[in-house]
Amino acid sequence: MRIEMGLAHFWAQGDLVTQAVAVLLVLLSVASWCVIALKAHGVWQARQCHGRALAAFWGAPSLPAAIEAIRHADRTGVLASLAIAGANAAELHRQHSERGIGAGVSVSDFVTRSLRSQIVEAQASIESGLTFLASVGSTAPFIGLFGTVWGIYHALVGLSGATQVVLDKVAGPVGEALIMTAAGLFVAIPAVLAYNACTRGNRLTLARLDGFAHDLHAYLTTGMRGRPGDRLVDLGAVRAGRGG
């Protein structure tokens, strides 16, 4: 006796709950792969252009030229936004240092606050989508397991009342129900791997962003130029050392 097995047969034999779980796993898989593609492109783009963007910024003859150069070189917009925010903060302090709510605040503190605020916004943008990948990676196996348990239950209910239960009648429905477990792992594993890879790539980007913020802070407050490849210093240390 030939047993019909396969995804189409499983779909036809499943009830509404089983089909809903299968659709949910498909949607999670499609959404996670879209996020993975976007984040991978962002990490690759950052690695390709950030070094050139920093070199273009520090190689410019003036601050306006440096900002224009980094805007063209930084395709991610992360470093360019930080440079614009710092330059705007320094200019705003020079124009309104004697009045307004910023009166009495040193240019170092004023620029530091602006750079920190921009770093927070950049970090939120860089890490967007990672929570979704982590959620998919942690919940998809359990969603698949729920579909498996429900499918086995549905198969056993269908066999209830039979006077004779043979292996052929049990193996097919149970084997098809176990597909849900495999589907859950198929959705979860790429999401977990992509989350770990993107987290590492984002950590490198944020470290470079902190280093650029330190050099930019020093240039805007003292006129000292930074150089690409200088040692990265945390922005909090900058404020502690210069925020007097």
Side-chain angles (χ1 to χ4, degrees):
M1 179 178 177
R2 183 175 178 272
I3 303 175
E4 293 184 5
M5 298 184 66
L7 296 179
H9 183 69
F10 171 68
W11 178 267
Q13 295 298 318
D15 61 355
L16 182 61
V17 175
T18 304
Q19 294 175 353
V21 171
V23 170
L24 178 59
L25 288 176
V26 170
L27 293 177
L28 289 176
S29 179
V30 172
S32 64
W33 277 106
C34 290
V35 173
I36 290 171
L38 291 175
K39 302 307 294 183
H41 179 264
V43 171
W44 176 83
Q45 200 173 45
R47 290 183 177 180
Q48 292 293 317
C49 70
H50 280 180
R52 293 195 299 268
L54 290 176
F57 180 86
W58 295 117
S62 63
L63 182 59
I67 292 177
E68 189 66 23
I70 200 172
R71 287 181 62 184
H72 283 86
D74 181 20
R75 288 175 291 175
T76 65
V78 174
L79 298 177
S81 298
L82 187 67
I84 293 172
N88 289 341
E91 180 64 24
L92 189 63
H93 183 273
R94 282 192 291 268
Q95 294 178 357
H96 304 284
S97 59
E98 301 299 330
R99 62 182 186 276
I101 61 175
V105 179
S106 66
V107 62
S108 177
D109 280 345
F110 200 81
V111 172
T112 297
R113 292 172 184 175
S114 178
L115 294 179
R116 280 184 169 176
S117 177
Q118 188 60 40
I119 286 177
V120 170
E121 293 183 8
Q123 184 174 2
S125 176
I126 291 172
E127 295 180 350
S128 63
L130 293 183
T131 301
F132 175 77
L133 291 180
S135 299
V136 171
S138 60
T139 59
F142 297 102
I143 296 175
L145 182 60
F146 171 76
T148 297
V149 173
W150 186 268
I152 293 175
Y153 166 76
H154 182 258
L156 294 178
V157 168
L159 295 174
S160 63
T163 57
Q164 183 179 4
V165 179
V166 296
L167 183 61
D168 291 343
K169 294 183 178 179
V170 178
V174 171
E176 291 167 351
L178 290 175
I179 294 175
M180 300 298 289
T181 301
L185 294 176
F186 177 79
V187 175
I189 291 175
V192 172
L193 295 178
Y195 173 82
N196 293 332
C198 291
T199 298
R200 182 180 181 278
N202 291 344
R203 187 163 56 246
L204 296 176
T205 300
L206 291 174
R208 178 169 284 175
L209 191 65
D210 281 340
F212 180 54
H214 165 72
D215 293 339
L216 184 63
H217 176 274
Y219 172 70
L220 294 175
T221 56
T222 67
M224 180 181 66
R225 284 178 175 267
R227 298 186 307 274
D230 285 348
R231 183 173 62 89
L232 301 181
V233 181
D234 183 74
L235 191 56
V238 174
R239 183 177 182 182
R242 301 180 180 274

